[in-house]
């Protein structure tokens, strides 16, 4: 049980030098927490968006007003995803009429704040869509029904449960009315509640927070709000078609329709997910880089404190050698000490990360997730840092000449 | 039976490229098992260095050292350390206890480096024989000089070594306490252990069986060594 004896000795040494030990543990802790929290943020983002894309279904396709066929950084202009869109009515007809497309809808974002009496809901996602919006989006209406045409006689809308709750204090809101700008709309359908992250909307149009959505019939919206930009087109392919292939041939068709200008393309759910993977991959790499740098600092801190410890305990090393400690025994002793500090830092870092992640989840709309594997990774990184940066001081200690060490004051 | 045999031992220190310091010159020495030898000499005579070589803490520049009939120059560093742990007990002038450990923990320290069966029981027995039972939970700082040296002796005895090397064990103690320590060493000698003691003090040296005098790296009374009576 030599390791146990060394661990006990390590704790005693740490305690006797409390102040510097705490500072070193703090350095490792900050390094580890930054790695864990950053990767939790990326993971949370990924899971949010992935689950939302999955609710759209594996057969969904998305038309976006940018060229995604050549998506390396130099050609990717994210501003094209927002603002003026290049999608036309013609494009919509083309998509809708395609034999492999089961249903398609236009999607135009609107801005107005829904108001019911003195209640407002600022976080609504207000859109204009066609009457087959739910067939095209794969979302289920579980109360009431979709509006029958793009231009119903009455002003009808379909909303999500969060909207209902915010405006009417209840999720059973069929028949209730609210104001959008100057006009009053009545609720004819309510989407089934989805258990997804709040308010996450991917700019690629691959996800919608259906609980916060308000869908206004397309022509009604055009009448009430003037000309609309078609921001996206959603659709579902037929059962037998391969969405990736459909997306490819639609992209070619639409770009041809635009006079061979590459300002429009079609993505399948699979492609959006892999796009997401690569964007998040870069994000993950960047955050790993940041984490690695802070861990480096922590490691240097460990090396520093251990070098000082070895010098201060020169006499102790001499005594131990005189009573029979081999070089490896001394090496082990100091290496264990470095490991104890770094593992302690890692464990406290994980604890701190859990707290930080909980706070972020509660206070913002982000939902970071710390996975088991990232916790285990954190501990192993902690151990490696201790091993790597504790090695040189431990070797120094092991090499001390016992006679000179005993003379050291 | 000769516990220690030194033939033509030299120890040279290289201070710089041109400067060589010869600390031990042609030492020839035998110490029998069960002997009690005092090593005396002025500062710089090389007695501590000789002690270090006997105790396997240092290697001679040339010459032969046999411990228990075995040529130690063949031993690697780790083997020397193990031998030290099992067969040799050190007692130092400045006690060399670990300040952060209690007396008991200091006595138990060798158990980290060599296996000692029933170590706690043994440590407590040793402590009792040395009159330390009430002081075991104290830190060295709270102990008197004599108590500290007794703790150091207790530590040296844990592995039940044949050989005790004491380098000026009474140097930091008053004469009364010093004498107590020498009595302890004498008792250990009566139990059959071999004691080698470095000292400045004539009164202390006279209590050994044999006195070796050193000067300038040589033993000045080799005939004393050969004329041992056992």
């Amino acid at each position: 049980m030599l390791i146990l004896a060394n661990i006990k000795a390590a704790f005693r040494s740490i305690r006797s030098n409390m102040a510097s030990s705490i500072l070193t543990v703090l350095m490792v802790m900050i390094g580890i927490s930054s790695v864990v929290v950053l990767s939790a943020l990326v993971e949370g983002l990924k899971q949010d968006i992935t689950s939302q894309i999955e609710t759209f279904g594996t057969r969904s396709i998305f038309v976006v007003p940018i060229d995604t066929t050549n998506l390396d950084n130099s050609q990717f202009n994210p501003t094209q995803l927002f603002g003026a869109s290049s999608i036309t009515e013609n494009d919509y007809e083309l998509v809708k009429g395609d034999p492999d497309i089961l249903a398609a809808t236009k999607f135009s974002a609107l801005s107005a704040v829904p108001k019911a009496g003195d209640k407002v809901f600022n976080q609504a996602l207000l859109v204009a869509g066609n009457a087959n919006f739910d067939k095209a989006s794969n979302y289920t209406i579980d109360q009431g029904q979709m509006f029958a045409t793009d231009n119903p006689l009455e002003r009808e809308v379909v909303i999500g449960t969060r909207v209902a709750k915010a405006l009417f204090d209840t999720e059973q809101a069929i028949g209730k009315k609210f104001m959008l700008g100057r006009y009053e709309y009545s609720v004819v359908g309510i989407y089934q509640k989805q258990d997804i992250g709040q308010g996450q909307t991917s700019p690629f149009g691959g996800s919608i927070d259906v609980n916060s959505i308000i869908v206004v019939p397309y022509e009604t919206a055009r009448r009430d709000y003037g000309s609309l930009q078609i921001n996206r087109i959603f659709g579902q392919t037929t059962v037998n078609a391969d969405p990736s292939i459909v997306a490819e041939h639609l992209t070619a068709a639409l770009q041809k329709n635009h006079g061979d200008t590459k300002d429009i393309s079609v993505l399948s759910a699979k492609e959006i997910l892999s796009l997401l993977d690569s964007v998040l991959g870069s994000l993950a790499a960047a955050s790993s880089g940041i984490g690695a740098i802070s861990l480096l600092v922590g490691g240097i801190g460990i090396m520093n404190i251990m070098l000082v410890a070895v010098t201060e305990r020169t006499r102790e090393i001499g005594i131990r050698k005189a009573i029979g400690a081999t070089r490896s025994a001394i090496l082990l002793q100091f290496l264990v000490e470095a490991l104890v500090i770094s593992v302690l830092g890692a464990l406290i870092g994980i604890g701190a990360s859990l707290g930080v992640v909980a706070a972020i989840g509660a206070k913002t709309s982000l939902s970071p997730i710390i996975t088991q594997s990232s916790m285990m990774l954190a501990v192993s990184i902690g151990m490696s840092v201790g091993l790597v940066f504790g090695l040189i001081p431990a070797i120094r200690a092991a090499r001390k000449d016992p006679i000179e060490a005993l003379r050291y004051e | 039976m000769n516990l220690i045999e030194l033939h033509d031992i030299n120890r040279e220190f290289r201070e710089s490229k041109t400067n060589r310091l010869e600390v031990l010159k042609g030492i020839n020495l035998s110490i029998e098992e069960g002997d009690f030898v005092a090593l005396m000499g002025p500062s710089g005579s090389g007695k501590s260095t000789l002690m270090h070589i006997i105790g396997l803490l240092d290697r001679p520049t040339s010459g032969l050292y046999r411990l228990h009939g075995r040529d130690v120059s063949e031993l690697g560093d780790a083997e020397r350390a193990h031998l030290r742990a099992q067969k040799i007990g050190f007692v130092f002038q400045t006690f060399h206890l670990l300040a952060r450990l209690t007396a008991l923990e200091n006595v138990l320290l060798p158990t980290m480096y060599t296996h000692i069966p029933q170590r706690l029981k043994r440590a407590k027995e040793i402590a009792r024989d040395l009159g330390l039972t009430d002081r075991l939970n104290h830190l060295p700082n709270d102990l008197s000089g004599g108590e500290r040296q007794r703790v150091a002796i207790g530590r040296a005895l844990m592995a039940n070594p044949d050989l005790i090397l004491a380098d000026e064990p009474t140097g930091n103690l008053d004469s009364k306490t010093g004498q107590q320590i020498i009595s302890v060493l004498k008792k250990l000698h009566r139990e059959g252990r071999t004691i080698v003691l470095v000292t400045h003090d004539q009164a202390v040296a006279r209590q050994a069986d044999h006195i070796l005098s050193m000067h300038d790296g040589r033993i000045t009374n080799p005939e004393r060594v050969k004329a041992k009576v056992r």
Side-chain angles (χ1 to χ4, degrees):
Chain A
M1 269 288 109
L2 187 61
I3 303 261
L4 193 62
N6 273 315
I7 293 178
K8 278 198 208 155
F11 273 105
R12 184 174 278 132
S13 304
I14 291 172
R15 243 182 307 153
S16 71
N17 226 345
M18 220 17 155
S20 358
S21 308
I22 287 181
L23 288 174
T24 313
V25 167
L26 203 64
M27 287 173 96
V28 177
M29 180 202 119
I30 292 175
I32 295 274
S33 324
S34 62
V35 169
V36 174
V37 170
L38 284 171
S39 56
L41 283 169
V42 172
E43 180 67 24
L45 203 60
K46 181 169 171 182
Q47 285 199 21
D48 268 352
I49 297 180
T50 303
S51 63
Q52 287 175 59
I53 289 178
E54 279 164 1
T55 59
F56 256 94
T58 51
R59 290 189 348 245
S60 38
I61 53 112
F62 311 91
V63 182
V64 294
I66 60 166
D67 180 26
T68 56
T69 53
N70 237 343
L71 211 56
D72 60 32
N73 294 329
S74 53
Q75 295 183 357
F76 180 41
N77 185 353
T79 61
Q80 285 176 296
L81 288 171
F82 310 97
S85 168
S86 55
I87 304 179
T88 63
E89 287 289 340
N90 213 328
D91 295 325
Y92 176 57
E93 294 305 322
L94 214 148
V95 173
K96 190 167 129 191
D98 191 288
D100 286 328
I101 293 290
L102 189 61
T105 177
K106 290 180 284 193
F107 175 103
S108 300
L110 302 169
S111 63
V113 178
K115 231 193 306 216
D118 57 353
K119 293 218 191 318
V120 296
F121 185 50
N122 295 331
Q123 290 167 19
L125 184 63
L126 183 59
V127 304
N130 297 101
N132 57 358
F133 192 89
D134 42 334
K135 279 217 205 69
S137 66
N138 213 25
Y139 286 131
T140 324
I141 293 182
D142 71 349
Q143 289 181 61
Q145 58 198 25
M146 192 65 188
F147 35 85
T149 69
D150 288 345
N151 195 359
L153 284 169
E154 304 292 321
R155 289 193 167 80
E156 303 177 341
V157 285
V158 178
I159 63 176
T161 48
R162 258 187 95 207
V163 182
K165 202 90 212 289
L167 293 176
F168 311 116
D169 276 330
T170 169
E171 288 175 14
Q172 333 300 331
I174 299 291
K176 298 216 189 286
K177 300 185 198 290
F178 63 93
M179 301 297 290
L180 267 177
R182 272 182 304 175
Y183 303 100
E184 190 182 65
Y185 288 80
S186 65
V187 178
V188 299
I190 297 185
Y191 278 113
Q192 185 177 57
K193 190 168 179 176
Q194 294 276 2
D195 196 19
I196 49 182
Q198 287 183 120
Q200 283 310 311
T201 300
S202 155
F204 292 103
S207 64
I208 288 180
D209 179 7
V210 71
N211 301 334
S212 307
I213 203 172
I214 300 177
V215 186
V216 177
Y218 207 84
E219 296 309 318
T220 309
R222 213 204 286 269
R223 204 179 60 219
D224 290 347
Y225 299 101
S227 63
L228 299 173
Q229 297 245 1
I230 305 176
N231 299 114
R232 306 280 183 274
I233 298 175
F234 301 147
Q236 298 282 322
T237 63
T238 55
V239 182
N240 300 322
D242 176 349
S244 304
I245 297 181
V246 175
E248 231 182 281
H249 85 238
L250 274 179
T251 302
L254 290 173
Q255 286 185 351
K256 193 147 165 253
N257 203 20
H258 281 218
D260 282 325
T261 320
K262 289 188 190 269
D263 60 355
I264 188 168
S265 47
V266 185
L267 298 165
S268 65
K270 198 166 97 182
E271 273 144 14
I272 291 191
L273 283 173
S274 62
L275 207 58
L276 183 68
D277 260 343
S278 58
V279 169
L280 287 180
S282 324
L283 195 62
S287 61
S288 299
I290 294 172
I293 292 175
S294 30
L295 273 175
L296 185 68
V297 172
I300 292 176
I302 288 182
M303 197 189 289
N304 188 36
I305 197 186
M306 291 310 296
L307 281 173
V308 169
V310 167
T311 305
E312 282 183 353
R313 285 148 68 184
T314 300
R315 209 179 61 108
E316 175 188 332
I317 295 171
I319 295 170
R320 288 178 184 266
K321 285 196 166 192
I323 64 174
T326 56
R327 281 193 193 177
S328 354
I330 301 289
L331 182 82
L332 187 66
Q333 176 188 345
F334 282 88
L335 209 53
V336 167
E337 208 170 304
L339 271 170
V340 166
I341 291 179
S342 58
V343 170
L344 259 178
L347 292 173
I348 297 176
I350 292 177
S353 309
L354 288 169
V356 170
V357 157
I360 292 179
K363 299 281 180 197
T364 69
S365 60
L366 299 166
S367 43
I369 296 171
I370 298 181
T371 59
Q372 275 228 357
S373 61
S374 75
M375 282 198 274
M376 295 200 308
L377 186 66
V379 174
S380 23
I381 292 177
M383 290 183 83
S384 320
V385 166
L387 266 173
V388 167
F389 289 92
L391 191 61
I392 290 181
I395 291 178
R396 275 258 189 114
R399 286 209 185 138
K400 286 212 180 272
D401 173 49
I403 299 170
E404 277 174 39
L406 284 171
R407 285 201 202 114
Y408 190 86
E409 277 311 311
Chain B
M1 175 34 192
N2 277 332
L3 181 65
I4 294 168
E5 265 178 44
L6 299 172
H7 295 286
D8 254 326
I9 293 287
N10 292 306
R11 182 61 169 108
E12 214 174 75
F13 287 97
R14 294 204 159 260
E15 306 251 291
S16 64
K17 281 202 193 122
T18 46
N19 218 354
R20 288 183 327 173
L21 190 64
E22 288 183 346
V23 178
L24 294 176
K25 304 167 189 169
I27 301 282
N28 285 287
L29 174 60
S30 308
I31 298 178
E32 270 193 11
E33 262 182 65
D35 209 347
F36 186 167
V37 177
L39 216 47
M40 284 196 75
S43 260
S45 53
K47 41 188 208 299
S48 283
T49 306
L50 183 57
M51 234 357 194
H52 292 150
I53 288 180
I54 293 174
L56 302 176
L57 277 177
D58 193 10
R59 287 180 195 261
T61 317
S62 63
L64 175 63
Y65 173 15
R66 282 212 193 97
L67 179 64
H68 272 299
R70 205 159 142 215
D71 181 1
V72 299
S73 63
E74 292 166 0
L75 299 175
D77 283 334
E79 291 169 296
R80 290 161 75 94
H82 286 132
L83 209 49
R84 250 195 330 272
Q86 287 155 1
K87 301 283 183 190
I88 303 176
F90 277 97
V91 181
F92 298 102
Q93 176 173 355
T94 53
F95 325 123
H96 283 322
L97 299 178
L98 294 187
R100 282 185 316 224
L101 302 183
T102 63
L104 180 61
E105 288 164 340
N106 266 292
V107 172
L108 284 168
L109 197 57
T111 63
M112 266 186 94
Y113 306 115
T114 184
H115 175 64
I116 293 170
Q118 299 199 303
R119 56 194 200 127
L120 195 56
K121 182 159 166 252
R122 179 165 174 77
K124 287 188 173 163
E125 271 172 19
I126 290 175
R128 192 193 57 220
D129 288 341
L130 290 165
L132 289 168
T133 312
D134 293 331
R135 311 299 281 161
L136 283 177
N137 287 327
H138 287 83
L139 294 175
N141 231 5
D142 300 328
L143 301 174
S144 69
E147 285 166 340
R148 287 187 214 174
Q149 195 61 296
R150 277 181 275 152
V151 173
I153 293 175
R155 176 180 70 190
L157 290 174
M158 271 304 278
N160 205 12
D162 304 322
L163 177 62
I164 305 277
L165 300 177
D167 194 345
E168 311 259 17
T170 59
N172 279 21
L173 306 169
D174 64 71
S175 52
K176 178 162 164 243
T177 320
Q179 186 48 45
Q180 284 172 2
I181 296 299
I182 298 300
S183 306
V184 171
L185 290 177
K186 277 158 80 170
K187 176 166 160 258
L188 295 177
H189 176 228
R190 282 195 297 274
E191 287 170 5
R193 293 181 223 268
T194 310
I195 317 277
V196 179
L197 172 67
V198 165
T199 183
H200 272 142
D201 191 340
Q202 279 267 9
V204 164
R206 271 201 290 257
Q207 300 182 61
D209 286 349
H210 297 99
I211 301 178
L212 287 172
S213 297
M214 282 188 75
H215 185 74
D216 244 354
R218 291 183 214 275
I219 294 180
T220 54
N221 59 340
E223 69 290 348
R224 276 273 187 132
V225 176
K226 292 196 173 94
K228 286 195 292 303
V229 175
R230 196 74 203 117

